[in-house]
Amino acid sequence: MAKILENTQGRKSIKLSTDDVISIVKEYQNITKNSYSYNEIREKLNNFTIIVPEEIY
């Protein structure tokens, strides 16, 4: 699960687990299969939302 980290400047960073990264890559591959150009991939990705759940303490 993703973990939101706050730093001293008030900015937030998101720490992804190995499972998060693999999940995102799998989703990317599913969305963009049979796409051959950069613009075609961008167009497909613009139509999807990929959500990574936040880690709950």
Side-chain angles (χ1 to χ4, degrees):
M1 293 250 159
K3 189 175 193 178
I4 297 176
L5 308 171
E6 300 212 25
N7 65 24
T8 57
Q9 289 85 28
R11 293 184 52 113
K12 295 180 182 177
S13 298
I14 300 172
K15 180 180 179 184
L16 299 176
S17 69
T18 301
D19 289 336
D20 292 331
V21 174
I22 291 170
S23 176
I24 291 169
V25 170
K26 281 175 60 176
E27 192 68 29
Y28 171 84
Q29 289 173 332
N30 287 331
I31 293 167
T32 61
K33 68 182 171 187
N34 300 320
S35 299
Y36 300 103
S37 71
Y38 175 80
N39 288 334
E40 189 177 0
I41 291 170
R42 285 193 58 86
E43 189 174 313
K44 284 185 176 183
L45 290 173
N46 281 335
N47 294 320
F48 283 90
T49 301
I50 299 174
I51 297 172
V52 179
E54 179 183 356
E55 184 177 286
I56 307 278
Y57 297 98

